[in-house]
Amino acid sequence: MRITDIILKKRNGGTLGKEEIDFFINGYVSGEIPDYQISALLMAIWFNGMNPEETVALTLSMAGSGDQVDLSAIPGVKADKHSTGGVGDTTTLVVVPLVAACGGKVAKMSGRGLGHTGGTLDKLESIPGFEVNQTMERFIEIVSEIGLSIIGQTANLVPADKMLYALRDVTMTIDNLSLIAGSIMSKKIASGSDVIVLDVKTGNGAFMQDVDAAVNLAKAMVAIGNSVGRKTLALVTDMNQPLGNAVGNALEVREAIEILQGKYKKGELKAVSFALAENMLVLSGTVRTKEEAGVLLQEALDSGRALGKLGDMIEMQNGNPAVTEDLSLLPEAGKVITVKAEQQGFLSSLRTAEIGHCSMLLGAGRTKKSDPVDPAVGIWMKKREGDQVEKGEELAEFHVNDEKNVDEAISRFRKALKISDVQPEKRPLVYQAVEG
Ligand code: URA
Ligand code: CA
């Protein structure tokens, strides 16, 4: 088999077989096939697409390129969740303790922030002492004992994705449905869980701006998961404003803890978290219906058991579990600046990715992989889309340490919020559930 024949076939609109896909993935990972030929192939895939069979073959070939985590030592059904990435999107820190408090098992590997989106590992590291790096043995031991653990990906989890992602990033081939689906699902499959619940974001803070594209991505990923015997479901959810009020690492941990403390009765972050957790419990077989799951989850919240599970995980991973009771133990920024409305009206739209960028400017995210993040800084939103705003009323708090970029961040933030005379129509929070 020759890589030139494979490139030619895809360039001319042909369909690649499983052997051809294995050949180029294995050859790329082993170093036998150079970047320039894979770049050409990626561009041919971008133009001509892959059919569902090719997409499944790609995903499995990628999943098999490195470690395959074996969770069979943990008794019961293991459930995972994944978000395609958003702003103020802290569902993992709410969902995982909730599911564990209802008897579910969650062995989760998470990632770091990417561009304007936050990452669970960065958020967890804002908890004093918390260690995201654990050996596989310890990870399995923690989940067996308390039902939950969140760690960083092992170094050799899907090396094909690390290499392909870096190449896609510089060859303008990120935004292809099969390549995105393969990238995400190869990591989920290699991580070993039996149940996978996906939160596919759509809107101006997401990878997929329009709902139809997000639904198609959701369908592709659900088909891949189910085709290899993982019970997979996706919710397509709104990302046209930060999901929670907090944007920034310790601030998002604070909001997640406050939800688990029962401080909020409403809110989009809590609602999406419950929707994801309900589906995880149903697919795990813990309950039969989402309604039963909802009752169980509410009870886990009201009793404090879910908050207790978060504390257990923090303790097992060398962090200070007292943060779940005393939020002042989280890092706090030196200065809080209030941003007030300059006119009255309705908050009619928010440019969500830009709000993520403003938080990055304060130091909450990275522009390069090696950049440090400041756990304490970020933005706390005081208004939601559709809210009425008086002139002089608080729109947001900026939590600041280094003041270098603050003026720019505030000025860009103001421009990212549109205040107008007409109240916008309320959007759906969950657009669609995609089941296998
Ligand atoms: N997230 C991933 O992990 N991979 C992609 O290709 C896009 C988003
Ligand atoms: Ca403090």
Short mmCIF file of all heavy atoms in Angstrom, two decimals, residues 195-232:
data_model
loop_
_atom_site.label_atom_id
_atom_site.label_comp_id
_atom_site.label_asym_id
_atom_site.label_seq_id
_atom_site.Cartn_x
_atom_site.Cartn_y
_atom_site.Cartn_z
N VAL A 195 -20.66 4.25 28.97
CA VAL A 195 -21.71 5.21 28.63
C VAL A 195 -21.05 6.56 28.32
O VAL A 195 -20.16 6.99 29.06
CB VAL A 195 -22.68 5.37 29.83
CG1 VAL A 195 -23.55 6.61 29.70
CG2 VAL A 195 -23.54 4.12 29.98
N ILE A 196 -21.47 7.18 27.23
CA ILE A 196 -20.90 8.48 26.85
C ILE A 196 -22.04 9.46 26.58
O ILE A 196 -22.86 9.24 25.68
CB ILE A 196 -20.01 8.34 25.58
CG1 ILE A 196 -18.87 7.32 25.80
CG2 ILE A 196 -19.45 9.70 25.17
CD1 ILE A 196 -18.16 6.89 24.51
N VAL A 197 -22.12 10.51 27.37
CA VAL A 197 -23.12 11.56 27.13
C VAL A 197 -22.40 12.81 26.66
O VAL A 197 -21.51 13.34 27.35
CB VAL A 197 -23.97 11.83 28.39
CG1 VAL A 197 -24.90 13.03 28.16
CG2 VAL A 197 -24.80 10.60 28.74
N LEU A 198 -22.76 13.25 25.45
CA LEU A 198 -22.07 14.38 24.82
C LEU A 198 -22.91 15.64 24.92
O LEU A 198 -24.12 15.61 24.73
CB LEU A 198 -21.82 14.05 23.34
CG LEU A 198 -21.01 12.79 23.07
CD1 LEU A 198 -21.21 12.33 21.63
CD2 LEU A 198 -19.53 13.04 23.35
N ASP A 199 -22.25 16.74 25.22
CA ASP A 199 -22.90 18.05 25.23
C ASP A 199 -22.32 18.83 24.04
O ASP A 199 -21.20 19.32 24.10
CB ASP A 199 -22.58 18.74 26.56
CG ASP A 199 -23.25 20.10 26.71
OD1 ASP A 199 -24.07 20.47 25.83
OD2 ASP A 199 -22.96 20.79 27.71
N VAL A 200 -23.08 18.85 22.95
CA VAL A 200 -22.61 19.51 21.73
C VAL A 200 -23.12 20.94 21.73
O VAL A 200 -24.33 21.18 21.67
CB VAL A 200 -23.08 18.74 20.47
CG1 VAL A 200 -22.59 19.44 19.21
CG2 VAL A 200 -22.57 17.31 20.51
N LYS A 201 -22.19 21.86 21.85
CA LYS A 201 -22.57 23.27 21.99
C LYS A 201 -22.83 23.90 20.62
O LYS A 201 -22.12 23.62 19.65
CB LYS A 201 -21.44 24.04 22.66
CG LYS A 201 -21.03 23.52 24.03
CD LYS A 201 -22.12 23.81 25.04
CE LYS A 201 -21.68 23.41 26.44
NZ LYS A 201 -22.82 23.50 27.37
N THR A 202 -23.81 24.77 20.57
CA THR A 202 -24.05 25.53 19.35
C THR A 202 -24.30 26.99 19.70
O THR A 202 -24.89 27.29 20.72
CB THR A 202 -25.23 24.93 18.55
OG1 THR A 202 -25.40 25.70 17.37
CG2 THR A 202 -26.53 24.95 19.34
N GLY A 203 -23.81 27.88 18.84
CA GLY A 203 -24.02 29.30 19.09
C GLY A 203 -22.72 30.07 18.96
O GLY A 203 -21.69 29.51 18.59
N ASN A 204 -22.77 31.35 19.30
CA ASN A 204 -21.62 32.22 19.02
C ASN A 204 -20.43 32.03 19.98
O ASN A 204 -19.41 32.67 19.82
CB ASN A 204 -22.06 33.68 18.93
CG ASN A 204 -22.64 34.19 20.24
OD1 ASN A 204 -22.29 33.71 21.32
ND2 ASN A 204 -23.52 35.18 20.16
N GLY A 205 -20.56 31.11 20.94
CA GLY A 205 -19.42 30.80 21.80
C GLY A 205 -18.89 29.40 21.54
O GLY A 205 -18.03 28.92 22.27
N ALA A 206 -19.42 28.74 20.49
CA ALA A 206 -19.09 27.33 20.24
C ALA A 206 -18.31 27.17 18.94
O ALA A 206 -18.26 28.08 18.12
CB ALA A 206 -20.38 26.51 20.17
N PHE A 207 -17.72 25.97 18.78
CA PHE A 207 -17.10 25.59 17.51
C PHE A 207 -18.12 25.60 16.38
O PHE A 207 -17.84 26.04 15.27
CB PHE A 207 -16.59 24.14 17.62
CG PHE A 207 -15.15 24.02 17.91
CD1 PHE A 207 -14.71 23.51 19.13
CD2 PHE A 207 -14.22 24.41 16.98
CE1 PHE A 207 -13.36 23.39 19.40
CE2 PHE A 207 -12.87 24.29 17.24
CZ PHE A 207 -12.44 23.78 18.45
N MET A 208 -19.28 25.02 16.66
CA MET A 208 -20.35 24.91 15.67
C MET A 208 -21.34 26.04 15.91
O MET A 208 -22.07 26.01 16.89
CB MET A 208 -21.08 23.56 15.83
CG MET A 208 -20.23 22.37 15.50
SD MET A 208 -20.02 22.27 13.72
CE MET A 208 -18.82 20.96 13.60
N GLN A 209 -21.31 27.02 15.02
CA GLN A 209 -22.15 28.19 15.26
C GLN A 209 -23.63 27.88 15.01
O GLN A 209 -24.48 28.35 15.74
CB GLN A 209 -21.70 29.34 14.36
CG GLN A 209 -20.22 29.68 14.52
CD GLN A 209 -19.98 30.94 15.31
OE1 GLN A 209 -20.71 31.91 15.17
NE2 GLN A 209 -18.98 30.92 16.16
N ASP A 210 -23.93 27.11 13.97
CA ASP A 210 -25.36 26.90 13.71
C ASP A 210 -25.88 25.54 14.15
O ASP A 210 -25.14 24.56 14.23
CB ASP A 210 -25.76 27.27 12.27
CG ASP A 210 -25.28 26.27 11.26
OD1 ASP A 210 -25.93 25.21 11.11
OD2 ASP A 210 -24.24 26.52 10.66
N VAL A 211 -27.17 25.54 14.47
CA VAL A 211 -27.80 24.38 15.10
C VAL A 211 -27.72 23.14 14.20
O VAL A 211 -27.41 22.06 14.67
CB VAL A 211 -29.28 24.69 15.47
CG1 VAL A 211 -29.94 23.47 16.10
CG2 VAL A 211 -29.35 25.87 16.44
N ASP A 212 -27.96 23.30 12.90
CA ASP A 212 -27.95 22.14 12.01
C ASP A 212 -26.58 21.46 11.98
O ASP A 212 -26.49 20.23 11.99
CB ASP A 212 -28.34 22.54 10.57
CG ASP A 212 -29.80 22.91 10.49
OD1 ASP A 212 -30.56 22.53 11.41
OD2 ASP A 212 -30.19 23.59 9.52
N ALA A 213 -25.53 22.27 11.94
CA ALA A 213 -24.17 21.71 11.92
C ALA A 213 -23.91 20.96 13.23
O ALA A 213 -23.31 19.88 13.23
CB ALA A 213 -23.14 22.82 11.73
N ALA A 214 -24.38 21.53 14.34
CA ALA A 214 -24.17 20.87 15.64
C ALA A 214 -24.95 19.56 15.71
O ALA A 214 -24.45 18.56 16.23
CB ALA A 214 -24.59 21.81 16.77
N VAL A 215 -26.18 19.56 15.18
CA VAL A 215 -26.98 18.33 15.19
C VAL A 215 -26.30 17.26 14.34
O VAL A 215 -26.23 16.09 14.73
CB VAL A 215 -28.43 18.60 14.70
CG1 VAL A 215 -29.18 17.31 14.44
CG2 VAL A 215 -29.19 19.46 15.72
N ASN A 216 -25.76 17.65 13.18
CA ASN A 216 -25.06 16.67 12.34
C ASN A 216 -23.82 16.11 13.03
O ASN A 216 -23.55 14.91 12.95
CB ASN A 216 -24.67 17.30 10.99
CG ASN A 216 -25.88 17.46 10.10
OD1 ASN A 216 -26.88 16.74 10.25
ND2 ASN A 216 -25.82 18.41 9.17
N LEU A 217 -23.08 16.97 13.73
CA LEU A 217 -21.91 16.49 14.48
C LEU A 217 -22.37 15.52 15.58
O LEU A 217 -21.77 14.46 15.79
CB LEU A 217 -21.14 17.67 15.09
CG LEU A 217 -19.96 17.29 15.98
CD1 LEU A 217 -18.88 16.56 15.19
CD2 LEU A 217 -19.35 18.54 16.66
N ALA A 218 -23.45 15.91 16.26
CA ALA A 218 -23.98 15.06 17.34
C ALA A 218 -24.38 13.69 16.78
O ALA A 218 -24.04 12.65 17.36
CB ALA A 218 -25.19 15.73 18.00
N LYS A 219 -25.05 13.68 15.62
CA LYS A 219 -25.49 12.40 15.03
C LYS A 219 -24.28 11.53 14.67
O LYS A 219 -24.28 10.32 14.89
CB LYS A 219 -26.33 12.66 13.76
CG LYS A 219 -27.73 13.13 14.09
CD LYS A 219 -28.54 13.37 12.82
CE LYS A 219 -29.96 13.79 13.19
NZ LYS A 219 -30.66 14.39 12.05
N ALA A 220 -23.25 12.16 14.11
CA ALA A 220 -22.06 11.40 13.71
C ALA A 220 -21.40 10.79 14.94
O ALA A 220 -21.01 9.61 14.93
CB ALA A 220 -21.07 12.32 12.98
N MET A 221 -21.28 11.55 16.02
CA MET A 221 -20.60 11.04 17.21
C MET A 221 -21.41 9.95 17.90
O MET A 221 -20.86 8.95 18.39
CB MET A 221 -20.27 12.19 18.17
CG MET A 221 -19.24 13.16 17.56
SD MET A 221 -18.44 14.23 18.76
CE MET A 221 -19.79 15.29 19.22
N VAL A 222 -22.73 10.13 17.94
CA VAL A 222 -23.60 9.11 18.56
C VAL A 222 -23.52 7.81 17.76
O VAL A 222 -23.42 6.71 18.33
CB VAL A 222 -25.05 9.64 18.66
CG1 VAL A 222 -26.03 8.53 19.00
CG2 VAL A 222 -25.12 10.75 19.72
N ALA A 223 -23.49 7.92 16.43
CA ALA A 223 -23.40 6.72 15.59
C ALA A 223 -22.08 5.99 15.83
O ALA A 223 -22.05 4.76 15.94
CB ALA A 223 -23.54 7.10 14.11
N ILE A 224 -21.00 6.75 15.95
CA ILE A 224 -19.68 6.13 16.20
C ILE A 224 -19.70 5.38 17.53
O ILE A 224 -19.31 4.21 17.61
CB ILE A 224 -18.56 7.18 16.21
CG1 ILE A 224 -18.37 7.82 14.83
CG2 ILE A 224 -17.23 6.56 16.68
CD1 ILE A 224 -17.50 9.08 14.84
N GLY A 225 -20.12 6.04 18.58
CA GLY A 225 -20.12 5.44 19.92
C GLY A 225 -20.94 4.16 19.95
O GLY A 225 -20.49 3.11 20.42
N ASN A 226 -22.16 4.24 19.41
CA ASN A 226 -23.04 3.08 19.46
C ASN A 226 -22.53 1.94 18.58
O ASN A 226 -22.73 0.77 18.90
CB ASN A 226 -24.47 3.48 19.09
CG ASN A 226 -25.13 4.25 20.24
OD1 ASN A 226 -25.04 3.87 21.40
ND2 ASN A 226 -25.74 5.37 19.92
N SER A 227 -21.84 2.28 17.49
CA SER A 227 -21.34 1.23 16.60
C SER A 227 -20.24 0.39 17.27
O SER A 227 -19.93 -0.70 16.81
CB SER A 227 -20.82 1.83 15.29
OG SER A 227 -19.53 2.36 15.48
N VAL A 228 -19.62 0.93 18.32
CA VAL A 228 -18.61 0.11 19.02
C VAL A 228 -19.10 -0.31 20.40
O VAL A 228 -18.31 -0.62 21.29
CB VAL A 228 -17.25 0.85 19.14
CG1 VAL A 228 -16.66 1.05 17.76
CG2 VAL A 228 -17.36 2.17 19.87
N GLY A 229 -20.42 -0.31 20.58
CA GLY A 229 -20.99 -0.86 21.80
C GLY A 229 -20.94 0.07 23.01
O GLY A 229 -21.15 -0.38 24.13
N ARG A 230 -20.66 1.35 22.79
CA ARG A 230 -20.75 2.29 23.91
C ARG A 230 -22.12 2.96 23.80
O ARG A 230 -22.49 3.44 22.72
CB ARG A 230 -19.66 3.36 23.84
CG ARG A 230 -18.25 2.81 23.63
CD ARG A 230 -17.76 1.95 24.78
NE ARG A 230 -16.47 1.34 24.45
CZ ARG A 230 -15.29 1.90 24.74
NH1 ARG A 230 -15.23 3.06 25.36
NH2 ARG A 230 -14.17 1.28 24.40
N LYS A 231 -22.84 3.00 24.91
CA LYS A 231 -24.16 3.66 24.88
C LYS A 231 -23.94 5.16 24.83
O LYS A 231 -23.47 5.76 25.81
CB LYS A 231 -24.95 3.28 26.12
CG LYS A 231 -25.46 1.86 26.08
CD LYS A 231 -26.39 1.62 27.24
CE LYS A 231 -26.80 0.15 27.26
NZ LYS A 231 -27.29 -0.25 28.58
N THR A 232 -24.26 5.76 23.70
CA THR A 232 -23.91 7.16 23.47
C THR A 232 -25.14 7.99 23.15
O THR A 232 -26.02 7.54 22.39
CB THR A 232 -22.90 7.26 22.31
OG1 THR A 232 -21.81 6.37 22.57
CG2 THR A 232 -22.36 8.67 22.16
#
